[in-house]
Amino acid sequence: INADKMKQCLTGDMLATDLAEYLVRKGVPFRQTHHISGAAVKMAEDRGCQISDLSVADLKTLHESFEDDVLLVWNFEKSVDNRSSIGGTSRVTVQAQIAQLKQWLN
């Protein structure tokens, strides 16, 4: 596994779900946040930039619930670690899955 190559391949649109979840935490229903997040991806594509390059002011044109803390969404490692349900991608969850598989194999 080439970790550096993998990091080079990361793109902001991979965090579109995190953007939708951000709005859910602000009280916006997911059925709306899904479309708002999609509009942010389209805005970035139309401008030829990454979604993470959009300003808070840009995002506020899509929904008034965006605040300065939205900039914290653009963190790939945090995104992975936030997925901590069974079968999720967080380090703790993956380590638990590995331990279970090792036990099963033995």
Side-chain angles (χ1 to χ4, degrees):
I1 296 174
N2 186 333
D4 290 333
K5 184 67 172 173
M6 289 174 61
K7 285 181 182 178
Q8 291 172 5
C9 293
L10 296 173
T11 60
D13 57 337
M14 293 177 174
L15 297 172
T17 302
D18 297 79
L19 188 65
E21 291 169 350
Y22 165 87
L23 287 172
V24 168
R25 289 190 300 274
K26 298 287 185 177
V28 182
F30 183 76
R31 67 182 173 276
Q32 292 176 18
T33 69
H34 173 76
H35 296 290
I36 296 164
S37 180
V41 170
K42 183 176 182 338
M43 180 186 287
E45 287 176 353
D46 290 347
R47 294 181 181 185
C49 67
Q50 294 290 320
I51 190 173
S52 56
D53 294 328
L54 298 176
S55 68
V56 176
D58 292 331
L59 294 170
K60 276 188 174 287
T61 67
L62 302 174
H63 199 277
E64 66 275 2
S65 293
F66 285 113
E67 298 175 3
D68 290 343
D69 63 342
V70 72
L71 301 177
L72 300 174
V73 168
W74 314 128
N75 183 318
F76 291 103
E77 289 185 21
K78 184 176 178 184
S79 175
V80 169
D81 278 339
N82 283 340
R83 309 296 190 274
S84 59
S85 62
I86 295 173
T89 57
S90 75
R91 287 184 180 108
V92 171
T93 305
V94 170
Q95 289 171 346
Q97 292 172 59
I98 291 169
Q100 286 177 334
L101 287 171
K102 283 181 178 179
Q103 183 179 20
W104 179 74
L105 289 172
N106 294 324

